[in-house]
Amino acid sequence: MTKKIKSSKKIKYKFLNENKGIAGNTNAAIEMATGDYIALLDHDDLLTEDALFEMVKKIEEEKNAGKVAKVIFSDEDKCNSDGSKFFAPHFKPGYNKELLFTNNYICHFLLCKAELMKELLLRSEFDGAQDFDFVLRATSYVNKEAKQGKNVSVCHVNKVLYHWRCHEQSTASNPESKRYAYEAGKRALQDFCRQNGIPALV
């Protein structure tokens, strides 16, 4: 039985002819997006009520300082399955390239300039760590622009805006449940090093 979904000005949907995996399915949505920025979040997680406000506030602060915020991320925590308890807050530093090489600490909540996300897209060969691969490439892209004299930035909103829901099959509560994600992350970092001429073995 096919569910009938009503479209609206705020919500767009598309039925794909096949399951293209995490990256492929997400890319289909990215290509449909028409806004100035695109945000990534998982379907079973929660945003705080002020999440979008805080992101736009940071964009405006950067704009007033003469910069274009191209990648913005926030702090996060975890919540139980029914969203009644919140715990394990992750208070992050600002952008730190060396720390990012050790793990995807940026993770949630991620907002990116639309044209940048549409240019880079997610890569299916790194499904499971497709977000880590994207963050590595996107932040590197912005850093290179900044070194070329462009007024662009990677920004951090130091406030919890994202609740990562924990259940038995989620990596939030049991990292070993998706061991393949770790392997994909290693391959993503190795590829990044290779692409950028960094002699390293991950």
Side-chain angles (χ1 to χ4, degrees):
M1 181 178 171
T2 303
K3 265 187 179 178
K4 289 186 177 180
I5 304 173
K6 291 183 178 180
S7 61
S8 71
K9 291 181 180 179
K10 291 185 177 181
I11 299 174
K12 295 181 181 179
Y13 70 90
K14 180 179 182 180
F15 289 106
L16 303 179
N17 293 327
E18 60 178 322
N19 184 348
K20 298 183 178 181
I22 304 171
N25 295 341
T26 304
N27 285 341
I30 291 171
E31 290 164 359
M32 292 169 63
T34 56
D36 294 329
Y37 285 85
I38 297 173
L40 295 180
L41 62 152
D42 291 339
H43 72 283
D44 54 346
D45 295 336
L46 303 172
L47 294 179
T48 62
E49 291 183 354
D50 61 344
L52 296 182
F53 170 83
E54 290 293 342
M55 287 294 188
V56 173
K57 179 182 175 184
K58 176 60 70 174
I59 291 169
E60 289 300 311
E61 287 173 353
E62 290 296 290
K63 183 178 179 181
N64 291 336
K67 293 184 177 181
V68 176
K70 288 220 165 177
V71 177
I72 311 107
F73 63 98
S74 77
D75 295 337
E76 62 187 274
D77 65 11
K78 295 181 175 67
C79 69
N80 60 354
S81 59
D82 64 5
S84 61
K85 293 182 180 180
F86 304 91
F87 53 94
H90 183 188
F91 300 118
K92 307 169 187 177
Y95 173 64
N96 184 317
K97 181 179 179 180
E98 285 69 31
L99 180 59
L100 186 59
F101 279 177
T102 69
N103 72 97
N104 182 16
Y105 79 93
I106 287 178
C107 206
H108 309 121
F109 175 42
L110 181 69
L111 194 75
C112 187
K113 196 71 173 163
E115 62 260 29
L116 177 59
M117 189 170 283
K118 286 175 182 284
E119 179 178 342
L120 297 181
L121 292 174
L122 304 184
R123 300 196 291 179
S124 59
E125 58 264 43
F126 302 111
D127 268 1
Q130 73 291 332
D131 51 351
F132 184 36
D133 172 63
F134 175 79
V135 167
L136 285 168
R137 292 183 294 124
T139 54
S140 177
Y141 188 103
V142 176
N143 280 336
K144 287 175 182 176
E145 285 191 319
K147 288 179 181 178
Q148 293 168 0
K150 296 182 180 179
N151 293 322
V152 295
S153 60
V154 175
C155 306
H156 170 226
V157 176
N158 58 343
K159 186 174 182 180
V160 172
L161 302 180
Y162 193 97
H163 305 305
W164 195 0
R165 195 190 304 268
C166 290
H167 51 79
E168 289 182 0
Q169 277 72 47
S170 75
T171 50
S173 61
N174 178 19
E176 290 299 320
S177 67
K178 292 184 179 177
R179 190 68 203 172
Y180 73 93
Y182 284 91
E183 297 304 319
K186 286 172 63 177
R187 288 189 285 104
L189 183 55
Q190 190 69 69
D191 184 72
F192 179 84
C193 291
R194 181 182 61 81
Q195 294 279 359
N196 289 274
I198 302 172
L201 176 64
V202 179

